[in-house]
Amino acid sequence: MKNFTKLIAVCSVFLFAGCDSDDQNIVEGTPIPPPVTLPLKLQVLHASPDAPEVNVFVNGDLTLPEVDYKTGSGALELPPAVYGVRIEGIVPGGNVDVFDGELSLVGGFIYTVVAAGSVADETFGPLIIQQQDAPVTAGSARVFVLHGAEGAPEVDVYVTDPDTELAPGLAPLGTFAYTETLGPVEVDAADYRIRVTGAGDPDQTVIFDSGSITLADGDDLTIVAVTNTVVGAPEQPISLVALNGAGSLEILTADTPTQLQAVHASPDAGLVDILVDGGV
């Protein structure tokens, strides 16, 4: 039986039959190509409101320097391997390691390392999430959401068209607490409105409202809820940071006030009026 098994194995490398060693007309089949090794993608987000800027080292090399709060990197494409990752806080008098360890990273996945928690509460450290790196369906956008705001409660997340009002019976996209994720989920490329309430709040009191935002065809976003630090919106506990593979963008609640300054820099223009929405 063993010899019969070996014979089958030898014959299987030929395109045509003819396993007799005396047959001079043996034709070899097409060689089997080696397996494809898929790369992985690695991105980093600073999500700790009281931590300093950080340096990120991969295998001893400074890969992402001076990453500040609510700033995310582009996605680094790397071969699958075990990587030494070190995150270093930049502080006066000498930098301090906040994470130093090995990560076994598999090809075909997107890994997001989120520096989260609080330095003051001694909870600062990495949260590592992964999702499969697959093409987005044509005409769709994909989102993967992490609750990275340590001080924020468990929340319900509603994703609707911009004009839909929250009402009893309207089901949230999902409910999650700090360190938990939602998705990834694909939606049609369109305009949406993201609203967040406390989990199970019968009054659906909104603690974050993105207003109308556009999810474009092919968007593949990792979105992290972080602690809001924008002056003028202290009642809003969170904002969102979206990583798109090239960098990051903060999404503020729609009623966050803005600031505008005007400078007259023309030496011969005379006095001017500055108008905003038709008013001087």
Side-chain angles (χ1 to χ4, degrees):
M1 183 68 179
K2 289 183 179 179
N3 290 335
F4 181 69
T5 303
K6 290 180 181 179
L7 181 62
I8 292 176
V10 171
C11 290
S12 65
V13 302
F14 300 114
L15 184 61
F16 300 100
C19 300
D20 190 334
S21 61
D22 293 330
D23 190 342
Q24 302 302 312
N25 297 316
I26 294 174
V27 179
E28 292 191 8
T30 303
I32 298 174
V36 176
T37 301
L38 296 175
L40 61 95
K41 293 176 182 175
L42 175 66
Q43 56 191 9
V44 176
L45 171 68
H46 187 326
S48 174
D50 67 348
E53 294 181 354
V54 298
N55 293 322
V56 180
F57 295 81
V58 177
N59 285 347
D61 296 327
L62 178 57
T63 306
L64 302 168
E66 300 178 352
V67 181
D68 204 354
Y69 178 51
K70 293 191 284 191
T71 300
S73 73
L76 303 173
E77 191 168 288
L78 301 168
V82 176
Y83 287 93
V85 176
R86 182 164 67 88
I87 302 175
E88 172 188 77
I90 303 173
V91 296
N95 297 343
V96 177
D97 286 350
V98 295
F99 175 76
D100 188 0
E102 291 188 335
L103 303 179
S104 181
L105 305 183
V106 179
F109 286 88
I110 301 172
Y111 293 88
T112 306
V113 179
V114 181
S118 167
V119 173
D121 295 339
E122 299 183 348
T123 57
F124 182 52
L127 300 175
I128 302 169
I129 58 175
Q130 71 176 50
Q131 61 172 308
Q132 205 159 26
D133 185 14
V136 179
T137 302
S140 301
R142 181 167 56 215
V143 294
F144 184 37
V145 188
L146 167 70
H147 188 323
E150 184 179 33
E154 184 178 40
V155 296
D156 289 335
V157 180
Y158 297 85
V159 180
T160 67
D161 69 83
D163 298 324
T164 296
E165 297 298 330
L166 298 187
L170 180 65
L173 175 68
T175 301
F176 66 162
Y178 179 56
T179 75
E180 295 180 342
T181 60
L182 289 178
V185 61
E186 285 193 356
V187 296
D188 292 338
D191 292 336
Y192 291 92
R193 186 177 178 186
I194 302 172
R195 280 165 289 185
V196 178
T197 71
D201 179 4
D203 298 325
Q204 297 178 313
T205 302
V206 175
I207 60 176
F208 176 86
D209 183 351
S210 70
S212 180
I213 62 172
T214 299
L215 297 180
D217 184 7
D219 276 350
D220 192 3
L221 305 176
T222 302
I223 299 177
V224 181
V226 299
T227 301
N228 177 46
T229 56
V230 176
V231 175
E235 71 280 4
Q236 307 296 339
I238 63 171
S239 62
L240 304 180
V241 177
L243 292 88
N244 63 3
S248 64
L249 173 70
E250 184 176 11
I251 304 171
L252 299 171
T253 190
D255 58 357
T256 301
T258 189
Q259 297 178 335
L260 175 67
Q261 291 180 310
V263 177
H264 187 329
S266 175
D268 62 354
L271 298 177
V272 298
D273 289 335
I274 307 295
L275 289 83
V276 177
D277 283 344
V280 178

